[in-house]
Amino acid sequence: MSSECLFCKIAEGSIPAEIVAETESALAFRDINPQAPTHVLIIPRGHVESLNEVDDPEMMGELVRLSRMIASREGLENGWRWVTNVGGDGGQSVFHLHFHLLGGRRMNWPPG
Ligand code: DGP
């Protein structure tokens, strides 16, 4: 837990969020500013700043499994997108690792 981290506070329940799924080590909640009909953020409960700091393949596997379960539950059988922004140039604004699960509309490419 990092005391100033927004997503740590969501993970511990001190800031509310619309939780869609959770496990012992991971949490998924709806993005406050959705960019698609389904826009869910999947995070590890433990504080990791970004993909640059990931060194735990088990944790990554858990995030992948949870994301696929949510995509299926949200009815995204036509496809979906998984995005993580890393650092300033990557467009990261919250420095607690999170994956955006986007779906429910046709995604554009390149993402810009
Ligand atoms: P990124 O820019 O990749 O770091 O994504 C951060 C996302 O977090 C952004 O899409 C908006 C979302 N967000 C920011 N503050 C909150 C919040 O308080 N609650 C929720 N549910 N989402 C938030």
Side-chain angles (χ1 to χ4, degrees), residues 6-7 10 15-17 29-33 39 41 85 91-94 98 100:
L6 174 64
F7 287 176
I10 288 178
I15 288 182
F29 53 94
R30 296 203 189 275
D31 195 290
I32 205 166
N33 183 23
H39 188 169
L41 302 174
N85 298 322
Q92 187 173 7
S93 61
V94 177
H98 54 281
H100 298 256

Side-chain angles (χ1 to χ4, degrees), residues 14-78:
S14 63
I15 288 182
E18 192 183 339
I19 310 288
V20 297
E22 56 187 319
T23 67
E24 213 172 288
S25 58
L27 184 69
F29 53 94
R30 296 203 189 275
D31 195 290
I32 205 166
N33 183 23
Q35 302 300 313
T38 291
H39 188 169
V40 172
L41 302 174
I42 295 94
I43 69 167
R45 287 185 186 278
H47 187 78
V48 178
E49 197 167 299
S50 79
L51 203 55
N52 275 340
E53 283 72 42
V54 170
D55 62 359
D56 180 350
E58 251 181 65
M59 180 200 78
M60 280 303 301
E62 180 72 10
L63 299 177
V64 170
R65 274 192 299 279
L66 194 59
S67 299
R68 285 165 48 174
M69 191 268 279
I70 294 163
S72 164
R73 212 198 255 171
E74 296 271 322
L76 305 181
E77 55 280 334
N78 286 334

